[in-house]
């Protein structure tokens, strides 16, 4: 093309424009390549960051899964431990919401887990201390110390269950109060045993009193019987003596009458 331009004796400016246009295309091609390389570099960097972030997320997800399994295992172990407890146990947060219970508590309240968890504590197992300053949650919140008291609780059927309630603070790792853990020990049988013991003790006291009265009566009878026996013995002696004297007097009377008649014999005198 340059030869044609020269041979045709075109104006030098046209040739210059042609050369300039070729250089521009070269620059555009170079810049295009540089842009492509830069895009590749940016894409590679982005991919590496995405890959790194993906690995981090995978590790985080794995750690979360492991933590979840550990938590589920610990929860299962705690549930099994609570379920074998002889007392009814429940966990109540600072808003009076029941968060956890064991089987014994469900049996005492006569409710299912779904009917208890998430509800107010005083709605599912109310007692004489509810809505008073002596409420276990109020008392523990003020002192952060365990408390114990005897209280009558009422289940869903209206059955009153005498219990010894022990409440302890439930804290997080920073010592912040999350709620309380309540332990309810049913003392119905204990109270019945104490009543039976009182009845037996009362009967024993009565028996002891009757025994004392019996001993007193026996003593009095002995004291009365001794002089009576003495008198009875003397009466027998006097009776025998009186009979002998009566026979003797009768004999003397006969002897006296015969003496007056002059017909006394030696046999009568003897």
């Amino acid at each position: 093309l340059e030869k044609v331009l020269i041979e045709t004796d075109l104006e030098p400016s046209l040739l210059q424009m042609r050369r300039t246009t070729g250089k521009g295309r070269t620059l555009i091609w170079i810049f295009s390549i540089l842009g492509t390389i830069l895009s590749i570099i940016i894409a590679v960097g982005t991919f590496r960051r995405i890959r790194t972030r993906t690995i981090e997320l995978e590790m985080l997800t794995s750690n979360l899964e492991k933590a979840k399994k550990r938590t589920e295992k610990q929860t299962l172990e705690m549930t099994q431990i609570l379920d074998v407890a002889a007392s009814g146990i429940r966990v109540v947060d600072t808003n009076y919401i029941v968060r956890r219970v064991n089987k014994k508590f469900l049996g005492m309240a006569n409710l299912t887990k779904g009917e208890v968890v998430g509800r107010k504590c005083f709605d599912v197992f109310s007692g004489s201390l509810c809505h008073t300053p002596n409420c276990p949650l109020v008392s523990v919140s003020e002192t952060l110390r365990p408390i114990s008291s005897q209280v009558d609780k009422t289940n869903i059927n209206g059955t009153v269950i005498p219990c010894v309630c022990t409440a302890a603070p439930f804290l997080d790792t920073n010592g912040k109060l999350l709620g309380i853990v309540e332990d309810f020990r049913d003392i119905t049988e204990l109270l019945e045993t104490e009543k039976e013991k009182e009845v037996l003790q009362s009967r024993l006291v009565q028996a002891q009193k009757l025994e004392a009265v019996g001993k007193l009566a026996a003593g009095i009878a002995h004291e009365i019987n001794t002089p009576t026996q003495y008198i009875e013995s003397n009466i027998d002696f006097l009776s025998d003596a009186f009979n002998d004297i009566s026979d003797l007097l009768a004999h003397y009377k006969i002897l006296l009458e015969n003496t007056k008649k002059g017909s006394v014999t030696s046999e009568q005198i003897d």
Side-chain angles (χ1 to χ4, degrees):
L1 180 59
E2 290 179 357
K3 290 181 177 181
V4 171
L5 292 174
I6 293 172
E7 292 176 353
T8 53
D9 195 20
L10 292 176
E11 202 171 319
S13 58
L14 293 176
L15 181 60
Q16 186 66 28
M17 289 177 61
R18 174 60 183 171
R19 291 177 178 176
T20 302
T21 301
K23 291 180 180 180
R25 290 178 180 177
T26 302
L27 290 175
I28 292 172
W29 179 77
I30 292 173
F31 283 127
S32 177
I33 293 176
L34 291 175
T36 302
I37 293 173
L38 182 60
S39 298
I40 292 173
I41 293 174
I42 294 173
V44 170
T46 302
F47 175 77
R48 288 178 178 176
R49 287 194 299 271
I50 293 173
R51 179 58 180 169
T52 301
R53 186 57 178 168
T54 301
I55 294 173
E56 292 176 353
L57 290 175
E58 289 176 351
M59 293 178 62
L60 180 60
T61 302
S62 177
N63 292 334
L64 289 175
E65 288 293 333
K66 292 179 181 179
K68 181 181 178 181
K69 290 181 179 180
R70 287 195 301 267
T71 302
E72 290 176 349
K73 181 180 178 181
Q74 292 173 354
T75 301
L76 179 60
E77 291 175 350
M78 182 181 296
T79 301
Q80 292 176 348
I81 292 172
L82 291 178
D83 285 342
V84 299
S87 302
I89 299 174
R90 73 177 176 185
V91 179
V92 181
D93 66 17
T94 53
N95 293 319
Y96 301 90
I97 302 297
V98 179
R99 295 302 179 187
R100 187 183 296 275
V101 293
N102 68 343
K103 289 184 178 179
K104 179 65 176 180
F105 179 86
L106 295 176
M108 296 172 67
N110 197 25
L111 293 169
T112 64
K113 185 175 181 180
E115 294 173 326
V116 174
V117 176
R119 296 181 60 188
K120 296 288 187 180
C121 57
F122 46 77
D123 287 336
V124 294
F125 202 51
S126 61
S128 56
L129 298 181
C130 294
H131 307 294
T132 70
N134 294 324
C135 166
L137 180 58
V138 175
S139 299
V140 172
S141 298
E142 293 176 352
T143 62
L144 292 181
R145 294 181 179 179
I147 62 170
S148 182
S149 60
Q150 182 173 334
V151 59
D152 291 335
K153 306 295 288 186
T154 305
N155 65 13
I156 194 66
N157 294 330
T159 303
V160 178
I161 304 175
C163 301
V164 172
C165 174
T166 301
F170 182 49
L171 309 174
D172 64 7
T173 55
N174 296 321
K176 180 181 177 181
L177 182 69
L178 300 178
I180 60 173
V181 179
E182 291 180 298
D183 177 279
F184 297 98
R185 183 165 62 92
D186 188 351
I187 58 174
T188 301
E189 294 183 359
L190 177 62
L191 293 180
E192 291 177 353
T193 302
E194 289 181 353
K195 289 181 180 179
E196 293 178 357
K197 181 180 178 181
E198 291 176 358
V199 172
L200 292 175
Q201 188 172 2
S202 176
R203 291 178 179 176
L204 178 61
V205 172
Q206 294 295 329
Q208 290 175 345
K209 289 181 180 180
L210 292 174
E211 182 182 2
V213 171
K215 289 182 178 179
L216 178 61
I220 295 174
H222 176 73
E223 295 298 329
I224 294 175
N225 190 39
T226 299
T228 300
Q229 290 178 346
Y230 176 77
I231 294 171
E232 184 179 358
S233 298
N234 285 285
I235 288 175
D236 293 337
F237 172 76
L238 292 174
S239 177
D240 293 339
F242 180 77
N243 291 331
D244 292 341
I245 293 173
S246 296
D247 292 341
L248 182 62
L249 289 175
H251 182 71
Y252 283 158
K253 184 178 180 181
I254 294 171
L255 181 61
L256 179 60
E257 291 177 352
N258 289 334
T259 300
K260 289 180 179 180
K261 294 177 180 180
S263 59
V264 178
T265 62
S266 58
E267 294 178 355
Q268 289 177 340
I269 295 174
D270 292 337

